[in-house]
Amino acid sequence: MTTSLGAPPAPPAAVRSRQDRGLADRIALSAATRQGVHLRTADVHAWLTERRRVNAFQVDRIPFAELTQWRFEDGSGNLVHRSGRFFTVEGMRVVDRDGPGREWRQPVIRQPEIGILGILAKEFDGVLHFLMQAKMEPGNPNLLQLSPTVQATRSNYTKAHRGANVTLIDHFHRPDRHRVIVDVLQSEQGSWFFHKSNRNMIVETVGDVPELDDFRWLTLGQIAELLHEDDLVNMNARSVLSCVPHQDTTPGALLSDAQLLSWFTGERSRHDVYAERVPLCSVSGWRRGKETIEHEEGRYFKVVAVSVRAGNREVVHWDQPLIEPVGVGVTAFLVRTIGGVPHVLVHARVEAGFLDTVELAPTVQCTPANHAHLPPRRRPPFLDAVLGAPASRIRYEAIHSEEGGRFLNARSRYLVVDANATEAGLDPPPGYAWVTPAQLSALTRHGHYLNVEARTLLACLNAGALRPQGGM
Amino acid sequence: MTTSLGAPPAPPAAVRSRQDRGLADRIALSAATRQGVHLRTADVHAWLTERRRVNAFQVDRIPFAELTQWRFEDGSGNLVHRSGRFFTVEGMRVVDRDGPGREWRQPVIRQPEIGILGILAKEFDGVLHFLMQAKMEPGNPNLLQLSPTVQATRSNYTKAHRGANVTLIDHFHRPDRHRVIVDVLQSEQGSWFFHKSNRNMIVETVGDVPELDDFRWLTLGQIAELLHEDDLVNMNARSVLSCVPHQDTTPGALLSDAQLLSWFTGERSRHDVYAERVPLCSVSGWRRGKETIEHEEGRYFKVVAVSVRAGNREVVHWDQPLIEPVGVGVTAFLVRTIGGVPHVLVHARVEAGFLDTVELAPTVQCTPANHAHLPPRRRPPFLDAVLGAPASRIRYEAIHSEEGGRFLNARSRYLVVDANATEAGLDPPPGYAWVTPAQLSALTRHGHYLNVEARTLLACLNAGALRPQGGM
């Protein structure tokens, strides 16, 4: 059969089913397989420890003046790489006309290039395994975490910093002869990035893949176990895993898909928020010192600089800016069973740096320190319900790091909390809706529906990571 | 059952099917019903003629200096309404790094408010009918065309120009107690608008709807017949109708849905085009005269001004700018049958004003006059194949107008042309793919996949508007 994906020509052209019906079963089998053929889950830590030992990583904070590869651009004051590539730290001006007219400026990362976050998949003993990399990123509190097979900006794979080849990138850059399981542009943090998207991919290969020290094949069941641990599965891996096409085995949902999409369209339509890039030097309310750019009242985040020495990255030494949030975040879904089907309470959330204003976010997503000065009625909805939940109602909890290539010690407690009727009834406040994980899964086939924090929690839900209700 | 869509509370909560399985059958019945219960298709013209007679419309070109409600803003030179609302004519700077670095500036319409394009649906004698309006728009060559029940910017329905109430808007502004059939944000012309989206809606009511002279109920089958006529069904109506959820009755497609989405993601990732708003006065290559802003070589379009007097619009008199293209466009799908299933050749097209770089467009979409000066190899792909197609291979042809509220005499020949293997093989050039109308239909549930020209052609395809192959 001839296809435009490059299969060899053969007579005569025919059509295939629009859905790959066997795939969901193979995903389910991988999720149910708690031991892979290559590495026992219990041995993942020993492998990571060994990789940390072999590759001597060192990250040091430095003053901006000691950055050798970055500089504050004349005029704009933007923080830019000497090559003009990778990313820049610029300013963002936001006008929010939703409430009483509000306007602010803040630093923001701009990275217009679309990077690839790719996980290679392959069957061993009839079970899909996924090739995970032990990868150092300078902002991770523990430096090295499990990442996708490949995470590369276009500058990486077109050799802007002329390091070694980005391993394995060709599987994703030219996926012609592979089975593509996931391939979608997804957003990243809209409070820290301006219009950032990355290409989230899973491609299956039947060819030989070289065995490399920094890479191991794991089943979805193994990864699900690892998602219970703090600071282990990195943000990019969680994002890609959230897009795995699990089958919906439930009888339905509180809202039909058409109702859900209509509600979302209404949310996107009703907000009147406008954001644009401005020069970093025009960002009032923030001050630039020798080592940080920070908010005048110490809120939100700082821009800092680090020097990195590492053995297994594409280049041996580099320096770069990072964004360092002021506190640990809280990111939670309230969950309740409706008609026998678990539902989570999603929030149609405005983040100024989103390409399209609103995406679906967890019920709670904030850094409590930024709201501590506010009276209770102005604190984020449901935050107190989440923070005050007894252990018996916490169905999932782990601390995960956000992208360590851009953020320093950006950690958040990710929670799934049983809701009771008093605090989150079936008729939630405007901007919130009860939806099933299967509905969220279906939306991850398309970009700009789920924000990256909701995708992290969906990855945990899809991995079957929930403890039984009321259990501990 | 209590839902967040506002149904009355009732015990106990249950789930519904995620899909409304009965709806596709009801859509199919309406499409098969060639005579409605309210107005014979043959009588539509008489009704429109009568509405033209009753409402005395007059549109006159005026110099910019005679605009009473619009002015060129100091400093930017942008053309703005005195209220600051509706829309503005500004400048757009485009940097296209795909080929040898190209950069240009042009005028563009900015309309950040999301408007509603809504068609009300209701069953009569068991068949879904759709309430169409005979609406005057100043840019239409024949002024009055069939439009959605409601087309309103937020400025309209919040009464910025304080005319009569926008009829029937509440069905769409607060669709709580209605069945929502379509509700999605769709883009409009990316060469003329900067980041424009409108909310395309179809909501079904079971309540009484007042009979109004400018409105008539028609079945999908009737509208399909009318889509064969020139300048009759307006752009907004075509756009909304393209989103009608038709069922896929075919066995499959050349590409699976996952392959199609992966190809599209790759197309969106590979383009490096950046557009930003700039002051209209900074748009080099265009000159502002007393009556027009036009391109120095007479290409593309002009910005002009008109004065409008009308009886049935929200206000009795107004003036406004319009964009007037320099020639009639050609917009065509090549179509071929693969494995017994009709496929159309879509183009992943960059338009600078798109929110997200690339959308799926017809095989050919251009104004030939803009390319007449180019050598054949630089003319748009497949244009000559479409223009040279013998009548026996033209499966659909009609001239339609683009939005008459923003564009003056913006007309395009819409065509569906049988492809033969020589000119468009199964392995098309980069940027093109063979997909089924059912696949395009599925994508219209989400925004930013199909551009407005592809949606017009999809509306025609879905309405069963194709003549039999080889027939004339």
Side-chain angles (χ1 to χ4, degrees), chain B residues 15 139 144 260-261 404 435 439 462:
Chain B
V15 296
L144 190 141
L260 169 56
L261 288 175
V435 306
Q439 289 181 307
N462 279 344

Side-chain angles (χ1 to χ4, degrees), chain A residues 5 13 15-16 18-19 110 154 183 248 252-254 257 259 262 265 269 274 277 338 426 446 449, chain B residues 5 13 15-16 18-19 110 154 183 199 248 252-254 257 259 262 265 269 274 277 338 426 446 449:
Chain A
L5 291 180
V15 296
R16 67 191 76 199
R18 286 174 53 193
Q19 271 73 46
R110 177 165 181 250
R154 191 184 296 178
D183 191 356
D248 186 6
L254 183 65
D257 287 358
Q259 287 175 319
S262 177
T265 300
S269 300
Y274 173 74
R277 295 187 300 129
I338 301 170
L426 288 183
H446 312 284
Y449 277 112
Chain B
L5 291 179
V15 296
R16 69 191 75 198
R18 287 174 51 192
Q19 270 72 48
R110 177 165 182 249
R154 191 184 295 178
D183 191 357
R199 189 172 178 183
D248 185 5
L254 183 65
D257 287 0
Q259 288 175 319
S262 177
T265 300
S269 301
Y274 173 75
R277 295 186 299 129
I338 301 170
L426 289 184
H446 311 284
Y449 277 112

Side-chain angles (χ1 to χ4, degrees), chain A residues 259-339:
Chain A
Q259 287 175 319
L260 169 58
L261 288 174
S262 177
W263 169 78
F264 182 75
T265 300
E267 288 297 313
R268 214 167 234 178
S269 300
R270 80 181 168 93
H271 288 288
D272 190 2
V273 175
Y274 173 74
E276 65 181 354
R277 295 187 300 129
V278 294
L280 184 57
C281 65
S282 79
V283 171
S284 47
W286 294 68
R287 60 183 163 226
R288 179 176 138 192
K290 289 184 177 168
E291 303 197 332
T292 63
I293 300 171
E294 58 186 279
H295 186 255
E296 281 175 353
E297 283 154 22
R299 295 208 191 99
Y300 312 121
F301 60 81
K302 300 171 186 176
V303 182
V304 301
V306 295
S307 158
V308 186
R309 290 178 189 280
N312 74 340
R313 279 294 285 245
E314 294 82 5
V315 292
V316 173
H317 168 260
W318 76 93
D319 49 45
Q320 68 167 94
L322 290 170
I323 276 186
E324 182 179 26
V326 297
V328 175
V330 172
T331 310
F333 266 139
L334 290 182
V335 60
R336 62 182 295 168
T337 300
I338 301 170

Side-chain angles (χ1 to χ4, degrees), chain B residues 210-410:
Chain B
E211 291 185 20
L212 295 163
D213 292 339
D214 288 327
F215 295 80
R216 288 292 183 272
W217 295 99
L218 298 171
T219 66
L220 287 180
Q222 292 184 285
I223 296 168
E225 272 190 55
L226 298 171
L227 278 168
H228 280 283
E229 303 197 29
D230 293 349
D231 298 312
L232 181 50
V233 180
N234 84 353
M235 182 189 91
N236 292 330
R238 301 191 306 267
S239 174
V240 176
L241 290 165
S242 75
C243 302
V244 169
H246 291 271
Q247 198 156 32
D248 185 5
T249 56
T250 60
L254 183 65
L255 303 179
S256 70
D257 287 0
Q259 288 175 319
L260 169 56
L261 288 175
S262 177
W263 169 77
F264 182 75
T265 300
E267 288 296 313
R268 215 168 233 176
S269 301
R270 81 181 168 93
H271 288 289
D272 190 3
V273 176
Y274 173 75
E276 64 181 354
R277 295 186 299 129
V278 294
L280 184 57
C281 64
S282 78
V283 171
S284 48
W286 294 68
R287 61 183 163 226
R288 179 174 138 194
K290 288 184 178 170
E291 303 197 333
T292 63
I293 300 171
E294 58 186 276
H295 185 255
E296 282 175 351
E297 282 155 23
R299 295 206 192 102
Y300 311 121
F301 60 83
K302 301 172 186 174
V303 182
V304 301
V306 295
S307 158
V308 186
R309 292 177 189 279
N312 73 341
R313 279 293 286 245
E314 295 81 5
V315 292
V316 173
H317 168 261
W318 75 92
D319 49 44
Q320 68 168 95
L322 289 170
I323 277 187
E324 181 178 27
V326 297
V328 175
V330 172
T331 309
F333 266 139
L334 290 182
V335 60
R336 62 182 295 167
T337 301
I338 301 170
V341 178
H343 285 64
V344 296
L345 188 63
V346 291
H347 177 209
R349 179 181 163 96
V350 175
E351 295 182 20
F354 282 154
L355 183 65
D356 204 359
T357 319
V358 167
E359 297 191 11
L360 297 179
T363 323
V364 170
Q365 174 189 325
C366 70
T367 302
N370 291 331
H371 305 277
H373 63 294
L374 296 174
R377 65 182 170 78
R378 291 189 54 207
R379 285 155 62 87
F382 304 110
L383 173 60
D384 294 334
V386 165
L387 294 180
S392 62
R393 286 175 46 210
I394 294 176
R395 305 277 301 276
Y396 172 80
E397 179 174 13
I399 290 180
H400 294 299
S401 307
E402 308 307 329
E403 196 204 332
R406 299 290 175 269
F407 308 122
L408 180 61
N409 300 323

Side-chain angles (χ1 to χ4, degrees), chain A residues 177-226:
Chain A
R177 286 170 310 279
H178 294 77
R179 182 199 297 253
V180 175
I181 297 176
V182 166
D183 191 356
V184 59
L185 294 178
Q186 296 287 5
S187 69
E188 295 182 9
Q189 285 81 0
S191 303
W192 299 335
F193 284 116
F194 186 81
H195 293 186
K196 167 108 182 265
S197 279
N198 266 328
R199 188 172 178 183
N200 286 237
M201 302 181 77
I202 301 178
V203 299
E204 183 181 355
T205 183
V206 292
D208 286 336
V209 179
E211 290 185 21
L212 295 164
D213 292 338
D214 288 327
F215 295 80
R216 288 292 181 273
W217 294 99
L218 299 171
T219 66
L220 287 180
Q222 292 184 285
I223 296 168
E225 273 189 56
L226 298 171

